[in-house]
Amino acid sequence: MNTPARIGAYAAGLAVIFVAALGAGTALGSGEPPRATPPPAHGHADPTGTTGTTGTDPAPGHAHEETSGAAGALPGLQISQDGYTLVPLTTTLTRGKATDFRFTVHGPDGAPVTRYQVKHEKKLHFIVVSRDLGDFWHLHPEEAGDGVWSVPLTLPDAGAYRVFTDFAAEGGPDLTLGADLFVPGDYRPRPLPPVERTAQVDGYTVTLAGDLAPGRVSKLVFTVSKDGKPVGDLEPYLGAHGHLVAIRAGDLAYLHVHPEEDTTAAGVTFAASAPSGGDYRLFLDFKHGGTVHTAAFMVRSTGTAGHGSEDSHSGH
């Protein structure tokens, strides 16, 4: 290689390193003190500053439908699918500061979607998780007009987050589109929680029975108790006695799960299937006493698709 070529290659290498360093600096930003509030995954925490959910209680009803789209595509891993694209209009968030997070969904014609099917009593479900799966919010944005959705969002820590929009446009497929968000500051990732079958939240004890098996449908049964006694009067929430979100650790693939008809007032049963072995974070929303609570679990699915079983009793 002649001298000018060597100089050109060296300059190109420096440019790549500079761009990578600039991107990392933008994502992490300057140092800030650690959080002053507890992780919302241990309860139903709302970044709007309110607790619980208000509104008309939905009646028990339907389950999630499976996402259609490209063969092998898992929900939540793509920002665009089947001609629909999630377009965040808010790109900068400040740690601990309420932000009016706004976004649109563009349809196959390139225009913002304005007509949606109602699923689980809502036109669109909005999920936010931290990349380390320690924080979780299930929100329901308001339509601001012209296809724009708006929701107050406060992220308590610096770091990386993933947002999911779960929806179906009129005449379109059920989709879950995802996008990353970044909050500048001193980012200190937390290790995944240990594998566990019992969660404590707001004075309630929630117990998980069943295995999350790769490649096949299995039942997950959650029972709720308080003060050592079963809670027999769970209230309907989003069309059932509970709503479950399951997310795979690592890439944050979003699993669709189905509430079963044999759900009782003291618990709720879901049909779920893991796309692979690995660790999964489960977030169960249930409603009691007019307030929505969120119980979080970490489970491990082992084996290969169609031949595995989940070993939730082993340590993480």
mmCIF file of all heavy atoms in Angstrom, residues 254-271:
data_model
loop_
_atom_site.group_PDB
_atom_site.id
_atom_site.type_symbol
_atom_site.label_atom_id
_atom_site.label_comp_id
_atom_site.label_asym_id
_atom_site.label_seq_id
_atom_site.Cartn_x
_atom_site.Cartn_y
_atom_site.Cartn_z
ATOM 1 N N TYR A 254 -40.297 -9.322 23.049
ATOM 2 C CA TYR A 254 -41.551 -9.123 23.777
ATOM 3 C C TYR A 254 -42.472 -10.301 23.467
ATOM 4 O O TYR A 254 -42.818 -10.539 22.313
ATOM 5 C CB TYR A 254 -42.159 -7.804 23.311
ATOM 6 C CG TYR A 254 -43.433 -7.340 23.965
ATOM 7 C CD1 TYR A 254 -43.402 -6.334 24.932
ATOM 8 C CD2 TYR A 254 -44.668 -7.844 23.586
ATOM 9 C CE1 TYR A 254 -44.570 -5.860 25.503
ATOM 10 C CE2 TYR A 254 -45.842 -7.381 24.156
ATOM 11 C CZ TYR A 254 -45.788 -6.387 25.118
ATOM 12 O OH TYR A 254 -46.948 -5.920 25.674
ATOM 13 N N LEU A 255 -42.860 -11.048 24.496
ATOM 14 C CA LEU A 255 -43.687 -12.233 24.286
ATOM 15 C C LEU A 255 -45.162 -11.904 24.457
ATOM 16 O O LEU A 255 -45.558 -11.240 25.424
ATOM 17 C CB LEU A 255 -43.322 -13.343 25.289
ATOM 18 C CG LEU A 255 -42.109 -14.212 24.972
ATOM 19 C CD1 LEU A 255 -40.836 -13.394 24.907
ATOM 20 C CD2 LEU A 255 -41.979 -15.321 26.008
ATOM 21 N N HIS A 256 -45.971 -12.374 23.508
ATOM 22 C CA HIS A 256 -47.416 -12.295 23.665
ATOM 23 C C HIS A 256 -47.889 -13.482 24.491
ATOM 24 O O HIS A 256 -47.493 -14.617 24.239
ATOM 25 C CB HIS A 256 -48.109 -12.314 22.299
ATOM 26 C CG HIS A 256 -48.063 -11.008 21.599
ATOM 27 N ND1 HIS A 256 -48.893 -9.964 21.905
ATOM 28 C CD2 HIS A 256 -47.262 -10.553 20.597
ATOM 29 C CE1 HIS A 256 -48.627 -8.931 21.126
ATOM 30 N NE2 HIS A 256 -47.632 -9.261 20.327
ATOM 31 N N VAL A 257 -48.734 -13.216 25.464
ATOM 32 C CA VAL A 257 -49.289 -14.280 26.297
ATOM 33 C C VAL A 257 -50.810 -14.155 26.308
ATOM 34 O O VAL A 257 -51.369 -13.097 26.034
ATOM 35 C CB VAL A 257 -48.734 -14.220 27.728
ATOM 36 C CG1 VAL A 257 -47.250 -14.523 27.736
ATOM 37 C CG2 VAL A 257 -48.977 -12.850 28.352
ATOM 38 N N HIS A 258 -51.473 -15.245 26.652
ATOM 39 C CA HIS A 258 -52.919 -15.328 26.542
ATOM 40 C C HIS A 258 -53.556 -15.678 27.879
ATOM 41 O O HIS A 258 -53.274 -16.752 28.422
ATOM 42 C CB HIS A 258 -53.316 -16.408 25.525
ATOM 43 C CG HIS A 258 -52.725 -16.210 24.172
ATOM 44 N ND1 HIS A 258 -53.431 -15.686 23.119
ATOM 45 C CD2 HIS A 258 -51.477 -16.454 23.694
ATOM 46 C CE1 HIS A 258 -52.649 -15.620 22.055
ATOM 47 N NE2 HIS A 258 -51.466 -16.080 22.378
ATOM 48 N N PRO A 259 -54.419 -14.832 28.453
ATOM 49 C CA PRO A 259 -55.156 -15.223 29.657
ATOM 50 C C PRO A 259 -56.128 -16.349 29.342
ATOM 51 O O PRO A 259 -56.768 -16.360 28.303
ATOM 52 C CB PRO A 259 -55.883 -13.945 30.074
ATOM 53 C CG PRO A 259 -55.889 -13.078 28.876
ATOM 54 C CD PRO A 259 -54.718 -13.449 28.032
ATOM 55 N N GLU A 260 -56.215 -17.327 30.232
ATOM 56 C CA GLU A 260 -57.069 -18.485 30.029
ATOM 57 C C GLU A 260 -58.444 -18.279 30.646
ATOM 58 O O GLU A 260 -58.618 -17.493 31.577
ATOM 59 C CB GLU A 260 -56.412 -19.726 30.649
ATOM 60 C CG GLU A 260 -55.110 -20.134 29.980
ATOM 61 C CD GLU A 260 -55.341 -20.812 28.643
ATOM 62 O OE1 GLU A 260 -55.941 -21.886 28.600
ATOM 63 O OE2 GLU A 260 -54.915 -20.242 27.619
ATOM 64 N N GLU A 261 -59.416 -19.040 30.145
ATOM 65 C CA GLU A 261 -60.778 -18.904 30.627
ATOM 66 C C GLU A 261 -60.962 -19.454 32.040
ATOM 67 O O GLU A 261 -61.915 -19.113 32.717
ATOM 68 C CB GLU A 261 -61.743 -19.623 29.675
ATOM 69 C CG GLU A 261 -61.834 -18.984 28.294
ATOM 70 C CD GLU A 261 -62.365 -17.549 28.341
ATOM 71 O OE1 GLU A 261 -63.184 -17.253 29.244
ATOM 72 O OE2 GLU A 261 -61.948 -16.732 27.504
ATOM 73 N N ASP A 262 -60.032 -20.316 32.510
ATOM 74 C CA ASP A 262 -60.197 -20.896 33.835
ATOM 75 C C ASP A 262 -59.637 -20.003 34.937
ATOM 76 O O ASP A 262 -59.441 -20.422 36.066
ATOM 77 C CB ASP A 262 -59.557 -22.284 33.914
ATOM 78 C CG ASP A 262 -58.049 -22.249 33.624
ATOM 79 O OD1 ASP A 262 -57.539 -21.172 33.306
ATOM 80 O OD2 ASP A 262 -57.423 -23.313 33.732
ATOM 81 N N THR A 263 -59.396 -18.732 34.616
ATOM 82 C CA THR A 263 -58.950 -17.777 35.620
ATOM 83 C C THR A 263 -59.987 -17.670 36.736
ATOM 84 O O THR A 263 -61.180 -17.651 36.485
ATOM 85 C CB THR A 263 -58.740 -16.395 34.963
ATOM 86 O OG1 THR A 263 -57.628 -16.468 34.083
ATOM 87 C CG2 THR A 263 -58.469 -15.329 36.005
ATOM 88 N N THR A 264 -59.522 -17.601 37.996
ATOM 89 C CA THR A 264 -60.410 -17.448 39.135
ATOM 90 C C THR A 264 -60.236 -16.063 39.729
ATOM 91 O O THR A 264 -59.311 -15.323 39.366
ATOM 92 C CB THR A 264 -60.099 -18.499 40.211
ATOM 93 O OG1 THR A 264 -58.815 -18.206 40.787
ATOM 94 C CG2 THR A 264 -60.084 -19.908 39.626
ATOM 95 N N ALA A 265 -61.107 -15.722 40.674
ATOM 96 C CA ALA A 265 -61.025 -14.412 41.310
ATOM 97 C C ALA A 265 -59.797 -14.283 42.198
ATOM 98 O O ALA A 265 -59.415 -13.187 42.582
ATOM 99 C CB ALA A 265 -62.292 -14.153 42.123
ATOM 100 N N ALA A 266 -59.162 -15.406 42.549
ATOM 101 C CA ALA A 266 -57.976 -15.371 43.409
ATOM 102 C C ALA A 266 -56.687 -15.498 42.615
ATOM 103 O O ALA A 266 -55.605 -15.438 43.194
ATOM 104 C CB ALA A 266 -58.052 -16.499 44.444
ATOM 105 N N GLY A 267 -56.780 -15.681 41.339
ATOM 106 C CA GLY A 267 -55.573 -15.844 40.543
ATOM 107 C C GLY A 267 -55.892 -15.784 39.075
ATOM 108 O O GLY A 267 -57.039 -15.626 38.673
ATOM 109 N N VAL A 268 -54.863 -15.903 38.285
ATOM 110 C CA VAL A 268 -55.041 -15.804 36.848
ATOM 111 C C VAL A 268 -54.068 -16.755 36.159
ATOM 112 O O VAL A 268 -52.935 -16.937 36.609
ATOM 113 C CB VAL A 268 -54.830 -14.345 36.365
ATOM 114 C CG1 VAL A 268 -53.458 -13.833 36.738
ATOM 115 C CG2 VAL A 268 -55.072 -14.210 34.880
ATOM 116 N N THR A 269 -54.540 -17.380 35.072
ATOM 117 C CA THR A 269 -53.748 -18.344 34.319
ATOM 118 C C THR A 269 -53.492 -17.817 32.919
ATOM 119 O O THR A 269 -54.386 -17.266 32.271
ATOM 120 C CB THR A 269 -54.484 -19.698 34.228
ATOM 121 O OG1 THR A 269 -54.708 -20.185 35.545
ATOM 122 C CG2 THR A 269 -53.665 -20.716 33.446
ATOM 123 N N PHE A 270 -52.262 -17.990 32.444
ATOM 124 C CA PHE A 270 -51.882 -17.549 31.108
ATOM 125 C C PHE A 270 -51.271 -18.712 30.335
ATOM 126 O O PHE A 270 -50.632 -19.589 30.912
ATOM 127 C CB PHE A 270 -50.841 -16.426 31.179
ATOM 128 C CG PHE A 270 -51.322 -15.170 31.836
ATOM 129 C CD1 PHE A 270 -51.216 -15.012 33.209
ATOM 130 C CD2 PHE A 270 -51.889 -14.150 31.083
ATOM 131 C CE1 PHE A 270 -51.661 -13.854 33.821
ATOM 132 C CE2 PHE A 270 -52.340 -12.995 31.682
ATOM 133 C CZ PHE A 270 -52.218 -12.839 33.060
ATOM 134 N N ALA A 271 -51.476 -18.702 29.035
ATOM 135 C CA ALA A 271 -50.781 -19.620 28.131
ATOM 136 C C ALA A 271 -49.628 -18.851 27.498
ATOM 137 O O ALA A 271 -49.827 -17.767 26.947
ATOM 138 C CB ALA A 271 -51.726 -20.146 27.063
#
